[in-house]
């Protein structure tokens, strides 16, 4: 058991707030077809995701340098950040539509999500110090489900106008922040002297139990967000290979991404038995094998290909909370805040490089299952770095 019924209720609220807030992350991807038609461009796929990632990197560094989560109450930081993220996410609806305004909006959405995703993790970690892997499973599972949620709204809404979709997602995000602030007690703020420590730049590379977890996390990040960004395009490609099959791209994308929430929660329970390190390594291995098998899976009928996507989605995201647990538990105590910030920033920087590489490959040689082989180095190097968890 995680704790008393009261703290369990708080975990439910934190999970919902995390889900609601992170639904802003891929809201732009869910309306990408309309945006590309309106803007008369086909080059937004990579940048609409990368803009959020870059904004998140800048935001995370800014929040860390200013020590915002440590100087102010975490729940208040979460609420203000999610409100600002929702407002900037809507800002481009009020001004002339251009690629620049859309990407600027996505950048600042990512910037303020730095006060949502990591701060939500911090709120949970402060309250559930025991069985952290299990609690992280629920929290990251909420992030994954939030990421997939705009695709579900689009899939169920049929011809739902893109403006309505964006407003609905933003209202959901704000409601999560309000509920968190009202239900979860705010912990007292910490010392204002807890500032970012640049010595952590050297500490992260020193030989230790922390380094394999960090490198494994980097391998995982090289794969995950690129899959999420290009999954709709992959589903369009599958439909082109099977023109007689009628599929809902949005619902399939929701199922494949949302399966990661099941992987996160299931991995959290399994970690209680065999440890976070082994769970992370096994799931990373499985998702890597899915990349290898992808070109051959595209020939399968829908029900088999759909099952394959569920497996890939569950394993690609399912290792994330266990990597978070390993990184947090093995970080050096004296620099823990700075180190976790740096690792998060490096990880999301890798996602930008991976997404842009994939976009360049597709523009150069076209989309196919083989293009996704650019993701193989991530799982391969991550598994190699995690050899100490093989037993």
């Amino acid at each position: 058991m995680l704790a008393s019924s009261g703290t369990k209720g708080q975990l439910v609220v934190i999970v919902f707030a995390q889900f609601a807030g992170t639904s802003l992350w891929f809201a732009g991807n869910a309306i990408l077809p309309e945006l590309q038609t309106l803007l008369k461009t086909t080059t937004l796929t990579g940048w609409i995701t990368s803009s959020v990632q870059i904004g998140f990197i800048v935001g995370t560094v800014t929040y860390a340098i200013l020590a915002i989560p440590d100087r102010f109450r975490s729940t208040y930081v979460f609420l203000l950040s999610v409100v600002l993220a929702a407002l900037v996410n809507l800002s481009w609806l009020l001004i002339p539509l251009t690629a620049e305004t859309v990407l600027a909006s996505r950048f600042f959405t990512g910037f303020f999500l730095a006060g949502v995703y990591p701060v939500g993790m911090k709120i949970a970690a402060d309250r559930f110090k025991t069985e952290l892997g299990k609690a992280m499973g629920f929290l990251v599972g909420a992030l994954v489900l939030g990421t997939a949620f705009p695709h579900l709204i689009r899939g169920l809404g049929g011809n739902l106008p893109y403006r309505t979709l964006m407003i609905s997602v933003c209202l959901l995000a704000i409601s999560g922040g309000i509920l968190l602030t009202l239900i979860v007690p705010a912990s007292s703020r910490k010392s204002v002297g807890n500032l970012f420590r640049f010595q952590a730049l050297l500490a992260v590379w020193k030989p230790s139990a922390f380094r394999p977890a960090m490198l494994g996390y980097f391998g995982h990040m090289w794969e995950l967000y690129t899959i999420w960004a290009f999954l709709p395009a992959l589903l369009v490609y599958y439909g082109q290979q099977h023109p007689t099959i009628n599929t809902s791209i949005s619902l399939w994308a929701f199922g494949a991404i949302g399966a990661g929430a099941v992987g996160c929660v299931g991995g959290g329970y399994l970690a209680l038995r065999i440890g976070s390190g082994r769970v992370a390594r096994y799931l990373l291995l499985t998702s890597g094998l899915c990349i290898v098998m992808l070109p051959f899976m595209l020939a399968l009928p829908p029900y088999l290909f759909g099952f394959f996507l569920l497996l890939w989605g569950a394993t690609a995201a399912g290792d994330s909370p266990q990597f978070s647990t390993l990184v947090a538990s093995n970080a050096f105590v004296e620099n823990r805040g700075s180190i976790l910030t740096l690792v998060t920033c490096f990880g999301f920087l890798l996602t930008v490089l991976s997404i842009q590489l994939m976009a360049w490959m597709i523009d150069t040689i076209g989309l196919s299952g083989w293009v996704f082989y650019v993701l193989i180095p991530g799982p391969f190097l991550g598994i190699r770095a995690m050899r100490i968890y093989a037993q």
Side-chain angles (χ1 to χ4, degrees):
M1 307 295 286
L2 277 171
S4 66
S5 58
T7 54
K8 285 184 187 178
Q10 292 177 21
L11 179 61
V12 171
V13 172
I14 296 169
V15 167
F16 172 75
Q18 190 84 310
F19 153 74
T22 54
S23 66
L24 296 168
W25 209 301
F26 273 67
N29 297 70
I31 62 170
L32 187 59
E34 289 94 331
L35 289 181
Q36 295 196 135
T37 300
L38 291 171
L39 295 172
K40 297 180 175 58
T41 180
T42 59
T43 61
L44 278 180
T45 302
W47 279 111
I48 203 165
T49 303
S50 294
S51 296
V52 183
Q53 308 299 84
I54 295 170
F56 183 80
I57 293 167
V58 175
T60 303
V61 173
T62 303
Y63 274 64
I65 290 176
L66 298 178
I68 290 174
D70 292 320
R71 295 170 62 194
F72 305 99
R73 297 182 187 275
S74 297
T75 51
Y76 297 170
V77 172
F78 187 103
L79 175 60
L80 181 59
S81 297
V82 81
V83 169
L84 291 173
L87 291 177
V88 297
N89 190 54
L90 290 176
S91 62
W92 62 273
L93 299 179
L94 307 175
I95 55 181
L97 180 64
T98 66
E100 290 75 17
T101 57
V102 171
L103 295 180
S105 169
R106 294 272 76 206
F107 171 87
F108 285 106
T109 299
F111 181 93
F112 289 115
L113 282 173
V116 176
Y117 170 40
V119 174
M121 292 290 188
K122 178 181 182 296
I123 293 170
D126 287 344
R127 287 162 174 77
F128 304 100
K129 294 182 174 62
T130 60
E131 300 185 5
L132 183 58
K134 182 178 174 181
M136 285 292 187
F138 282 101
L139 264 292
V140 180
L143 179 148
V144 174
L145 202 58
T147 298
F149 190 66
H151 291 290
L152 177 62
I153 296 178
R154 169 43 50 92
L156 296 179
N159 295 322
L160 187 71
Y162 72 89
R163 291 175 178 269
T164 303
L165 173 65
M166 296 297 281
I167 292 171
S168 300
V169 170
C170 290
L171 290 175
L172 174 69
I174 293 173
S175 69
I178 293 173
L179 187 64
L180 176 72
T181 306
L182 292 176
I183 302 298
V184 179
S187 57
S188 59
R189 66 187 181 94
K190 298 182 180 180
S191 169
V192 296
N194 191 4
L195 300 177
F196 188 88
R197 301 187 180 187
F198 288 95
Q199 304 95 307
L201 280 169
L202 299 176
V204 296
W205 300 108
K206 292 180 179 178
S208 65
F210 169 80
R211 192 165 67 175
M214 176 186 69
L215 295 176
Y217 168 75
F218 289 163
H220 151 78
M221 291 294 282
W222 179 263
E223 173 192 14
L224 180 62
Y225 277 85
T226 305
I227 295 174
W228 286 351
F230 289 94
L231 182 60
L234 177 65
L235 291 170
V236 170
Y237 177 79
Y238 177 78
Q240 294 170 347
Q241 306 308 304
H242 303 268
T244 61
I245 298 171
N246 184 20
T247 59
S248 170
I249 302 301
S250 295
L251 290 180
W252 277 51
F254 169 76
I257 297 173
V262 178
C264 289
V265 174
Y269 279 98
L270 186 59
L272 295 177
R273 299 183 59 185
I274 65 174
S276 293
R278 294 173 70 184
V279 171
R281 194 171 189 272
Y282 294 158
L283 291 178
L284 189 60
L285 173 62
T286 305
S287 65
L289 291 175
C290 286
I291 300 173
V292 174
M293 296 167 58
L294 176 61
F296 312 101
M297 297 295 104
L298 288 167
L300 294 177
Y303 62 94
L304 289 178
F305 184 64
F307 176 79
F308 167 76
L309 288 180
L310 292 176
L311 175 65
W312 192 14
T315 55
D319 51 3
S320 186
Q322 304 316 315
F323 279 121
S324 296
T325 300
L326 291 169
V327 169
S329 59
N330 288 297
F332 305 107
V333 175
E334 63 273 15
N335 288 317
R336 178 167 289 166
S338 299
I339 287 174
L340 295 181
T341 299
L342 286 170
V343 170
T344 301
C345 291
F346 290 155
F348 276 86
L349 178 60
L350 283 174
T351 69
V352 175
L353 299 178
S354 177
I355 289 168
Q356 292 304 312
L357 176 60
M358 176 72 84
W360 178 80
M361 291 286 290
I362 292 174
D363 289 341
T364 304
I365 64 176
L367 180 63
S368 70
W370 299 103
V371 174
F372 282 78
Y373 272 34
V374 300
L375 302 181
I376 290 178
F380 174 79
L381 295 175
I383 293 165
R384 182 175 175 81
M386 297 273 291
R387 290 190 305 272
I388 63 171
Y389 297 106
Q391 302 301 323

